[in-house]
């Protein structure tokens, strides 16, 4: 039954038919999303059967999270549902990324039992823009390699490619690792240590040294040390001295020891771990046993 005829519905009747509240329908009407067909002599808003269908569409769009402005454009025919839905998907994706970032930061805070100051720093680092994160990486690379043109170019290339940015959709593990990595790359002590390692490399290289030789040397060192460990060779034994001679030739072993001690630094190893974690990869073997064997052998036979 209607106020002004069999085909018109009052707000109350429309509410009963759709299951919505009178207050909600009135609000949507006031916002210009659902227009009444006409008004009764008493000034009450009246709606028709088409209003019922339109109201169902409005409710569906609202339940999907669209704002009233977008709903108004769709119902009014100014925009199609597909384009509005696509824009809303993009907005939801951004919200999801933000929520995941929030969760990741809070997980890190809980795990570290962080102070308020640490929490603020973690939140700031995690929310840096892509350009700001790139600046941290570029500045670290410049501090490490700037002006050292004779350093092995393969090391520079490998490090620049290796150091990752935070993914667009990071896990809590990746956020945690990125925050620690960003802190480490900005730490002046770590920068100085990395710079010193590259200065060692640059000082050792002559004009005829093939790019990549430094990486080959470290790989060969790990291989020979691993083989020596498998064979049970004591690093203080004469056999260990022969292994070193085969690897180093007549090189100054004291200098080699100094360089390897720098490379075996815990912060350097942690840097490699964090890079892998941010990239979503398994951490690489540290080869701690192999490095320990070589260092012990060099200390025992360094005078040769």
């Amino acid at each position: 039954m209607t106020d002004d005829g069999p085909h018109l519905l009052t707000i109350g009747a429309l509410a009963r038919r759709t299951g919505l509240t009178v207050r909600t329908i009135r609000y949507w009407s006031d916002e210009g999303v659902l227009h009444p067909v006409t008004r009764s002599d008493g000034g009450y808003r009246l709606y028709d059967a088409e209003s019922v269908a339109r109201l169902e569409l409005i409710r569906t769009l609202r339940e999907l999270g669209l704002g009233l402005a977008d709903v108004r454009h769709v119902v009014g025919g100014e925009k199609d549902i597909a384009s509005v839905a696509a824009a809303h998907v993009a907005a939801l994706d951004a919200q999801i990324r933000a929520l995941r970032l929030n969760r990741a930061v809070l997980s890190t805070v809980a795990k570290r039992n962080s102070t308020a100051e640490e929490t603020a720093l973690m939140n700031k680092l995690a929310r840096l823009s892509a350009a700001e994160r790139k600046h941290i990486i570029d500045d670290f690379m410049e501090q490490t390699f700037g002006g050292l043109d004779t350093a092995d170019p393969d090391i520079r290339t490998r490090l620049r490619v290796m150091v990752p940015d935070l993914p667009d959709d990071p896990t809590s593990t990746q956020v945690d690792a990125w925050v620690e990595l960003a802190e480490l790359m900005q730490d002046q002590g770590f920068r100085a240590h990395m710079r010193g390692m590259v200065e060692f490399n640059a000082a050792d290289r002559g004009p005829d040294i093939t790019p990549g030789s430094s990486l080959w040397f470290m790989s060969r060192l790990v291989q020979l040390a691993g083989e020596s460990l498998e064979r049970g060779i004591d690093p203080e034994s004469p056999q260990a001295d022969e292994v070193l001679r085969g690897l180093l030739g007549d090189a100054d072993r004291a200098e080699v020891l100094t360089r390897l001690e720098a490379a075996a630094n815990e912060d350097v190893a942690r840097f490699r771990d964090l890079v892998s974690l941010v990239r979503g990869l398994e951490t690489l073997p540290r080869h701690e046993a192999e490095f320990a064997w070589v260092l012990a052998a060099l200390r025992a036979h360094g005078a040769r």
Side-chain angles (χ1 to χ4, degrees), residues 217-235:
F217 173 79
M218 295 301 287
S219 177
R220 181 64 175 156
L221 179 149
V222 169
Q223 178 188 353
L224 290 177
E227 292 173 355
S228 298
L229 284 168
E230 289 180 1
R231 292 164 55 194
I233 297 177
D234 188 318

Side-chain angles (χ1 to χ4, degrees), residues 163-181:
V163 177
D165 193 1
L166 184 67
D168 290 335
D169 190 14
T171 65
S172 58
T173 298
Q174 287 174 310
V175 171
D176 188 16
W178 163 255
V179 167
E180 188 177 343
L181 182 62

Side-chain angles (χ1 to χ4, degrees), residues 85-269:
H88 199 61
V89 166
L92 284 174
D93 285 343
Q95 292 175 15
I96 290 170
R97 285 195 296 271
L99 287 171
R100 285 179 175 170
L101 189 60
N102 288 348
R103 185 183 186 280
V105 171
L106 290 172
S107 295
T108 299
V109 169
K111 182 170 64 176
R112 293 188 182 184
N113 193 24
S114 302
T115 64
E117 292 77 10
E118 291 170 336
T119 300
L121 176 60
M122 277 187 286
N123 188 49
K124 178 181 178 180
L125 289 174
R127 295 183 188 282
L128 292 176
S129 68
E132 290 169 327
R133 293 194 298 268
K134 182 178 183 299
H135 175 73
I136 289 177
I137 296 172
D138 290 346
D139 190 49
F140 169 72
M141 291 295 296
E142 176 60 26
Q143 289 288 319
T144 301
F145 289 96
L148 298 177
D149 297 333
T150 59
D152 192 332
D154 281 12
I155 293 179
R156 181 196 303 266
T157 300
R158 182 173 180 178
L159 185 61
R160 187 63 185 86
V161 172
M162 183 176 72
V163 177
D165 193 1
L166 184 67
D168 290 335
D169 190 14
T171 65
S172 58
T173 298
Q174 287 174 310
V175 171
D176 188 16
W178 163 255
V179 167
E180 188 177 343
L181 182 62
E183 290 175 319
L184 190 56
M185 285 191 292
Q186 295 176 92
D187 182 84
Q188 294 303 316
F190 178 69
R191 287 186 173 194
H193 186 85
M194 292 291 286
R195 175 77 178 189
M197 290 175 57
V198 176
E199 288 175 345
F200 282 150
N201 179 265
D204 290 340
R205 284 177 52 80
D208 299 327
I209 300 298
T210 304
S213 299
S214 305
L215 297 175
W216 176 89
F217 173 79
M218 295 301 287
S219 177
R220 181 64 175 156
L221 179 149
V222 169
Q223 178 188 353
L224 290 177
E227 292 173 355
S228 298
L229 284 168
E230 289 180 1
R231 292 164 55 194
I233 297 177
D234 188 318
E236 298 184 4
S237 68
Q239 294 98 315
D241 186 27
E242 289 299 319
V243 172
L244 292 178
R245 184 175 291 108
L247 177 65
L248 303 176
D250 296 328
D252 187 333
R253 294 186 183 182
E255 288 293 324
V256 174
L257 177 61
T258 300
R259 285 151 174 71
L260 290 181
E261 285 176 335
N265 178 272
E266 171 60 27
D267 282 344
V268 175

